[in-house]
Amino acid sequence: MPELPEMENYRRLLHERLAGQRITSVSVEREKTINLPVASFVARLQGNSFVATGRRGKHLLFHLQSGDVLLLHLMLGGFLYWGTEADKLDRTAQVTLSMGNHRLYFHGLRLGYLHLLTREEAEERLADLGPEPLDPLFTSDQFSRLLQKKRGVLKSALVDQHLLAGIGNCYADEICHRAEILPLRRIPSLSPEEAGKLFHSMQTVLREALQHGGYMEVPLFHEDHLTGGYNDRCLVYDRGNEPCPRCGHPITQDEWSSRKVFYCPSCQR
């Protein structure tokens, strides 16, 4: 599932391409992907223009000239593609927005959604999300205080969107590995020093992942050489039985609460 770095990478790249663009046509192949009858969805979008592209946690927000907001959550398997009819992917798009010759294709939204909301509805939908991990005003002390509210396992706290917005399975494991702490540690056992180490690890991992375009497998557009660049930089996630890049011990693949967990039992404590 795309996480903060993937969605922020999309936001930056799409803002450059969409700002000021007028939607000339709308195609909906799967009505369950949207929140309105198709005719109403099309009528409110066609002729509208993009003003800005935002992000909150794992959501993208397409702000429109009308004041409405398109709220996107890709969930598992969703991805975007920006291109023309000539270079489109050989896959069905659940929704397609056309801007003249260019189109924004929404793929893989069997679990995800693209909802057209008023600004107030969008704010209400996102109101219970936790703080952004990379917000310049979010401090190590605030992070420690949030952790102290939890009594369970560290990984469950890191992926809890009400606690922090944007971290999922992959980056939770990468953050814990960078901090040399087991993702299945009980939170009350963490020392203040370890909480501080987790905070700085979180900042480092997320910024590095964003710098390299996250781990998406499909480029956003033709000749996009940024998106997905973090795929080969993950140190533990999806690397079960491979040697730990820090100590050489085989990486363990485990499962906790129906989630995959990857860690090094030798150098993570």
Side-chain angles (χ1 to χ4, degrees):
M1 182 185 295
E3 304 177 35
L4 186 158
E6 289 72 45
M7 300 309 281
E8 180 63 16
N9 177 60
Y10 272 162
R11 185 200 69 77
R12 293 179 181 183
L13 294 177
L14 286 172
H15 181 73
E16 298 173 2
R17 290 159 176 79
L18 291 180
Q21 293 275 3
R22 180 175 173 272
I23 301 170
T24 53
S25 68
V26 180
S27 172
V28 178
E29 293 293 329
R30 185 175 186 271
E31 190 167 356
K32 289 183 178 180
T33 296
I34 63 177
N35 62 322
L36 300 172
V38 172
S40 300
F41 187 81
V42 171
R44 283 173 62 177
L45 284 179
Q46 198 159 299
N48 219 326
S49 297
F50 291 99
V51 175
T53 305
R55 180 192 58 79
R56 183 72 172 96
K58 300 178 185 180
H59 302 78
L60 275 190
L61 296 88
F62 300 97
H63 297 277
L64 303 171
Q65 190 176 40
S66 64
D68 287 339
V69 177
L70 270 172
L71 182 66
L72 172 69
H73 197 313
L74 292 174
M75 300 293 284
L76 188 64
F79 66 96
L80 301 175
Y81 188 78
W82 165 263
T84 64
E85 179 69 20
D87 65 19
K88 71 177 183 178
L89 304 179
D90 187 21
R91 295 185 58 167
T92 299
Q94 282 67 57
V95 179
T96 303
L97 304 181
S98 298
M99 282 69 66
N101 292 330
H102 280 84
R103 295 167 172 79
L104 181 59
Y105 298 94
F106 297 81
H107 290 285
L109 295 186
R110 298 298 175 182
L111 298 175
Y113 56 81
L114 182 67
H115 287 178
L116 182 57
L117 307 169
T118 65
R119 186 174 301 156
E120 293 74 21
E121 288 171 336
E123 290 174 355
E124 184 178 350
R125 184 81 68 88
L126 303 173
D128 63 349
L129 291 178
E132 291 284 333
L134 295 181
D135 187 328
L137 299 179
F138 184 58
T139 66
S140 179
D141 287 343
Q142 289 174 312
F143 175 72
S144 296
R145 286 196 293 271
L146 286 176
L147 278 185
Q148 288 168 10
K149 297 178 181 179
K150 294 289 188 176
R151 311 301 297 172
V153 165
L154 177 58
K155 174 149 184 170
S156 69
L158 291 175
V159 301
D160 181 352
Q161 300 304 295
H162 303 294
L163 187 81
L164 289 170
I167 298 174
N169 277 340
C170 173
Y171 294 111
D173 288 351
E174 293 295 306
I175 289 165
C176 289
H177 181 265
R178 183 74 63 108
E180 301 181 29
I181 296 171
L182 286 169
L184 300 182
R185 276 275 297 277
R186 306 292 295 184
I187 291 174
S189 74
L190 295 172
S191 68
E193 292 75 21
E194 287 175 317
K197 199 171 182 180
L198 277 167
F199 176 80
H200 292 294
S201 172
M202 176 177 69
Q203 297 270 308
T204 301
V205 167
L206 294 178
R207 291 185 192 283
E208 185 177 305
L210 178 55
Q211 179 186 351
H212 294 284
Y215 64 76
M216 298 296 291
E217 294 181 355
V218 181
L220 176 60
F221 51 87
H222 184 59
E223 295 188 351
D224 171 15
H225 302 296
L226 175 62
T227 302
Y230 197 69
N231 273 341
D232 296 330
R233 292 175 175 268
C234 289
L235 301 181
V236 289
Y237 188 75
D238 253 351
R239 303 204 183 285
N241 295 319
E242 294 182 21
C244 170
R246 185 163 49 218
C247 73
H249 191 282
I251 294 167
T252 293
Q253 176 177 340
D254 208 339
E255 188 169 309
W256 186 86
S257 191
S258 301
R259 294 179 182 271
K260 290 181 181 178
V261 186
F262 297 88
Y263 58 89
C264 175
S266 174
C267 62
Q268 289 177 254
R269 296 177 174 81

